[in-house]
Each structure stands twice: as structure tokens, then as C-alpha cells.
Amino acid sequence: MALVELRRAENVAGDFFVDSTCIDCDLCRQIAPETFSDIGDQSIVHRQPRSDVEEFNALKALVACPTASIGALGNYSARTKKAVAAYPELIDENVYFCGFASESSYGASSYLIARPEGNVLVDSPRFARPLVKRIKEMGGIKTMFLTHRDDVADHERWAAEFNAERVMHRNDVSRSTSNIERALTGNDQIALADDLIAIPTPGHTRGHMVLLYRHRYLFSGDHLWWSPNYQSLHASQGVCWYSWSEQTRSVERLLDYEFEWVLPGHGRRAHASKAAMRRELNTLLERIKGQARPVAS
């Protein structure tokens, strides 16, 4: 739990607060924007919850926070248990947000696809027993799709718990992922199943991949996301660790695919028609072309 003595002075008075250990991952602002906002490089409580719904959202943000930087004074234990039980939280159809973000992946979002053929965990949440129990009740995990090297978090514990096959691009395999079960190679798409396509998208990292599910859901890792500032899809040169020119080409490659959802590791989700998503990609490409720099050695 957050520490009262580290409570940021910018929080409004009341039970909920953010302390100075916040790493600015943005999750609380996504989950409960009516309560949390940013101030520079951290979050604060800009307004205390005014309804049961707002309070529940604030407690879900508390549960998801990777650094336990959100506090709630008073007796919220029963209501917090309900917030814990909310994860995995349904996004659409059989796609869920896992919550329980990990500090080691800088608060990245992870997702669960519930499929009769076997559930897929996209990137790794924090290994939290309540989440483990709930996913077990939902049928466990057959496959872990790791988009890139930054958001692997507790992948070993999840894989061991469910005997899951981990899939990652070989170019992003490091010491911490050297024992994964399946390392993909090359830059061509790879069908993992009839409804699952792995698409290499080098740029953010050398071995970054995205996962396309049923030609509707694009799990985009840190390749692209929805930007409130631009009010459009976005990719940032400032957080491109391998090659901006490669990332630009990888964005352009996505014009070959159709999808309605962008579900990123970091950044905001996006949902629109397939035609609108194509327009968004073209708008993004117009903005970022010309910013390319040489491939990193």
C-alpha cells in the first residue's frame, strides 16, 4: 500500500491519494480518469470518487498499480476484494484486461484471450495469486505471447504454473527469456493458429512483434497506441530503442491487415471500424515519415 508520509501534496483532500513512488505508467488514469490525473511525471488524485462506480474504478486502479503507489484511507477491505475479483476484466467478447501490472515492465498492460482451443496470455502481468486463481477458473493458459523483451515481467512463473508455451521473436530473446519454448525468426507473418497471426514489427526493439486475433484485435505491445494528445494512433521516436526507420516501416506493414481494436502494452486502447483504423494508420504514417533515422548497429 502507498505510504501516507509520501503522499503528494498535489492530491486533493480525501481518502484516496498517490504517493511519490509513482512511476507515471498511466494505468490509473486509464482505469479511473475521473479520479486520477497527471502532474508532470507522476499521477495524483485530482478529485475524490463521488459515486460507487467511481470508487470501484479507483479501487481497481489501486489493485492494478505496479508500485502500490495508490492509497485509500479508511476501511475499504471488502470493496478492495471486489476490485481484486474484477480482474481479468472483460474488454470485448472474449478479450480481457489482466490488471495487476508489474513494476519490472513499467506498468505494462497484459491481456487474456479466452479461446476453446486454449487461452492466450499476451505479455505478462504481475504473478498475483488472486489473478492466477481466476485465470485457472477460466481454463488456464495454453500460450504466452511475449510482444518484446521489455514486458515479460513474471513470465517464468506464469509459464510454470500453467505449463504454457511461451512465444517470442528470437531477436528479443535475452538471458531472462533464454528458456522460452518457441522462438520465432524472420520478418514474415507466422500463423500460430487459424485465428492468431504473429506479425514481426521491429523498431521499438529489434524483435518486437504484434499479435492479430480474428482480424479484429491487434495486441500492439509498444509498437503503437492511441494518443490523447494527438487524438489518433501514435508511435514515439522518444521510446524507440532499436530503429525508428524500422518502426516506421513496421507501421506501414500493418496496412496489409484489418483490425478494429488496438490493445497496447503502454498507452491507451483504441476501438474503431476497420476503415477508420486504416485511416488512422495513414494519418500516423504521414506524421512520422521523414523522422526516420539509421538502423542502430
Side-chain angles (χ1 to χ4, degrees):
M1 284 290 289
L3 299 176
V4 175
E5 56 267 32
L6 297 180
R7 178 176 181 148
R8 291 203 55 156
E10 296 88 348
N11 291 286
V12 299
D15 286 358
F16 286 84
F17 67 94
V18 180
D19 74 15
S20 60
T21 64
C22 170
I23 59 173
D24 197 32
C25 72
D26 191 47
L27 268 185
C28 66
R29 305 192 296 261
Q30 295 179 42
I31 296 167
E34 63 277 2
T35 298
F36 301 98
S37 62
D38 69 303
I39 180 167
D41 58 357
Q42 290 188 322
S43 292
I44 60 165
V45 172
H46 71 90
R47 197 189 80 187
Q48 294 292 328
R50 295 180 179 177
S51 68
D52 289 344
V53 170
E54 290 186 0
E55 180 186 275
F56 189 55
N57 287 340
L59 289 170
K60 287 192 296 181
L62 183 154
V63 169
C65 179
T67 50
S69 300
I70 299 173
L73 304 174
N75 185 8
Y76 286 90
S77 58
R79 284 165 283 183
T80 301
K81 287 181 180 178
K82 292 182 179 180
V84 167
Y87 295 117
E89 181 179 49
L90 183 65
I91 297 173
D92 185 63
E93 292 193 353
N94 57 330
V95 174
Y96 297 79
F97 167 55
C98 291
F100 290 95
S102 171
E103 184 175 7
S104 67
S105 62
Y106 207 78
S109 295
S110 56
Y111 305 93
L112 182 73
I113 309 171
R115 304 163 63 246
E117 303 86 354
N119 296 344
V120 179
L121 183 64
V122 181
D123 288 328
S124 174
R126 188 165 78 242
F127 191 83
R129 281 295 170 188
L131 183 62
V132 172
K133 179 182 178 182
R134 181 71 184 112
I135 290 178
K136 191 170 292 187
E137 292 169 349
M138 296 172 69
I141 300 166
K142 180 180 180 181
T143 304
M144 288 187 68
F145 185 87
L146 303 175
T147 59
H148 66 297
R149 64 191 304 156
D150 299 335
D151 295 349
V152 298
D154 293 331
H155 71 98
E156 289 187 306
R157 297 183 69 183
W158 284 102
E161 182 74 23
F162 291 102
N163 193 30
E165 178 187 57
R166 289 163 292 177
V167 179
M168 189 178 195
H169 199 284
R170 186 175 299 281
N171 286 342
D172 258 24
V173 172
S174 63
R175 181 178 298 178
S176 67
T177 51
S178 60
N179 63 343
I180 65 167
E181 290 72 29
R182 186 176 181 186
L184 306 182
T185 59
N187 284 327
D188 295 331
Q189 71 171 45
I190 298 169
L192 303 179
D194 289 343
D195 55 354
L196 293 167
I197 301 173
I199 306 168
T201 49
H204 174 74
T205 59
R206 187 181 179 194
H208 195 289
M209 294 193 299
V210 299
L211 181 68
L212 181 62
Y213 172 55
R214 287 175 45 196
H215 299 283
R216 289 196 63 202
Y217 305 92
L218 186 76
F219 298 90
S220 60
D222 288 351
H223 178 53
L224 51 78
W225 57 91
W226 178 263
S227 166
N229 292 332
Y230 288 98
Q231 284 296 296
S232 66
L233 290 181
H234 187 56
S236 172
Q237 187 172 4
V239 291
C240 178
W241 312 132
Y242 172 60
S243 166
W244 184 239
S245 57
E246 284 290 319
Q247 186 156 354
T248 301
R249 284 192 286 270
S250 293
V251 171
E252 191 164 25
R253 188 176 300 131
L254 293 181
L255 290 170
D256 294 335
Y257 301 91
E258 291 186 330
F259 50 89
E260 300 170 13
W261 285 86
V262 170
L263 300 170
H266 290 100
R268 306 293 176 95
R269 305 170 196 161
H271 180 214
S273 69
K274 292 177 179 179
M277 281 296 187
R278 186 174 183 83
R279 290 194 296 271
E280 287 289 340
L281 280 177
N282 279 312
T283 298
L284 171 58
L285 283 164
E286 288 175 8
R287 186 164 67 244
I288 66 177
K289 277 188 172 180
Q291 300 176 24
R293 63 191 183 206
V295 175
S297 59

